[in-house]
Amino acid sequence: LWERAQPVVLLSRTRKGSNTFFIGSPTDTCDEIVRTLRQTTQYHSYMEILVTNFTRQSYRGTDVHDPEAAPVDAPPVIDLAFHPFRPVDVPLPSDTTGVVYMLISTRCPQITYIGETTNLPQRLDQHNSLSGGSLQTSSTNFQPWAVLAYVAGFGGNKRAMKAFESQWKHFLL
């Protein structure tokens, strides 16, 4: 096992724990599962801080630019040299109720873009075309773009999507 989510996914695939078989010593297997569950990756820390900050402010009517607002933690910098997935390894969501996403330039990995849409595959195609993307992604010097991260499940709430997008951008400044 090499990633924290693997034991969770592995164990969620059966109705009963007794239907899951592990090869090897039960003690060694349990120790390995516990070790894997305790791992923290740069992505886990990043998302934990974003979710904490966003839920602390964005949906409680507090303006992120308000100096009286509760202090927020800056997200850690993600070191793209350790990005374990290629863009083609992760399927894009089919959720049409709203997605806030972060794109990364495959030519210049320190360049990112954050946006929101109800159709991420179509929007990614637009960003990678010569027209139809955004001003920030239109330069062919940075194309093609790939999805680095996304948050789905906004239930069609455009205001929540915009607030989440705004705060994600704000935290990256």
Side-chain angles (χ1 to χ4, degrees), residues 87 103-109 111-112 124-130 137-147:
L103 300 180
I104 183 169
S105 166
T106 59
R107 286 192 184 171
C108 189
I111 304 295
T112 59
L124 179 60
D125 287 343
Q126 290 170 343
H127 284 295
N128 283 319
S129 70
L130 295 178
T137 62
S138 62
S139 171
T140 56
N141 293 333
F142 301 128
Q143 291 178 354
W145 293 89
V147 176

Side-chain angles (χ1 to χ4, degrees), residues 22-29:
F22 296 98
I23 306 301
S25 154
T27 302
D28 291 345
T29 301

Side-chain angles (χ1 to χ4, degrees), residues 3-13 33 37:
E3 190 168 320
R4 183 181 184 157
Q6 284 183 303
V8 175
V9 171
L10 179 77
L11 294 172
S12 71
R13 298 297 185 236
I33 289 172
L37 287 171

Side-chain angles (χ1 to χ4, degrees), residues 61-72:
T62 308
D63 183 358
V64 298
H65 303 292
D66 178 5
E68 301 299 316
V72 295

Side-chain angles (χ1 to χ4, degrees), residues 106-121:
T106 59
R107 286 192 184 171
C108 189
Q110 57 271 32
I111 304 295
T112 59
Y113 171 82
I114 295 173
E116 51 90 12
T117 186
T118 55
N119 188 332
L120 187 53

Side-chain angles (χ1 to χ4, degrees), residues 3-162:
E3 190 168 320
R4 183 181 184 157
Q6 284 183 303
V8 175
V9 171
L10 179 77
L11 294 172
S12 71
R13 298 297 185 236
T14 59
R15 288 192 181 275
K16 296 180 183 176
S18 62
N19 293 336
T20 305
F21 295 92
F22 296 98
I23 306 301
S25 154
T27 302
D28 291 345
T29 301
C30 287
D31 289 346
E32 183 62 19
I33 289 172
V34 167
R35 185 195 64 75
T36 304
L37 287 171
R38 288 185 175 157
Q39 285 180 0
T40 350
T41 67
Q42 60 181 346
Y43 305 101
H44 171 78
S45 301
Y46 183 86
M47 290 307 295
E48 192 172 82
I49 287 174
L50 288 180
V51 168
T52 299
N53 286 331
F54 293 169
T55 55
R56 178 170 46 196
Q57 286 190 2
S58 67
Y59 304 114
R60 296 195 179 140
T62 308
D63 183 358
V64 298
H65 303 292
D66 178 5
E68 301 299 316
V72 295
D73 302 317
V77 174
I78 291 180
D79 183 350
L80 296 175
F82 297 105
H83 186 60
F85 305 109
R86 298 170 302 158
V88 296
D89 291 335
V90 181
L92 296 178
S94 58
D95 184 333
T96 59
T97 66
V99 177
V100 179
Y101 60 92
M102 176 187 277
L103 300 180
I104 183 169
S105 166
T106 59
R107 286 192 184 171
C108 189
Q110 57 271 32
I111 304 295
T112 59
Y113 171 82
I114 295 173
E116 51 90 12
T117 186
T118 55
N119 188 332
L120 187 53
Q122 177 184 11
R123 189 67 179 129
L124 179 60
D125 287 343
Q126 290 170 343
H127 284 295
N128 283 319
S129 70
L130 295 178
S131 62
S134 72
L135 184 60
Q136 293 92 338
T137 62
S138 62
S139 171
T140 56
N141 293 333
F142 301 128
Q143 291 178 354
W145 293 89
V147 176
L148 179 64
Y150 64 87
V151 177
F154 289 92
N157 185 337
K158 286 288 259 184
R159 194 168 125 195
M161 288 169 53
K162 289 282 187 195

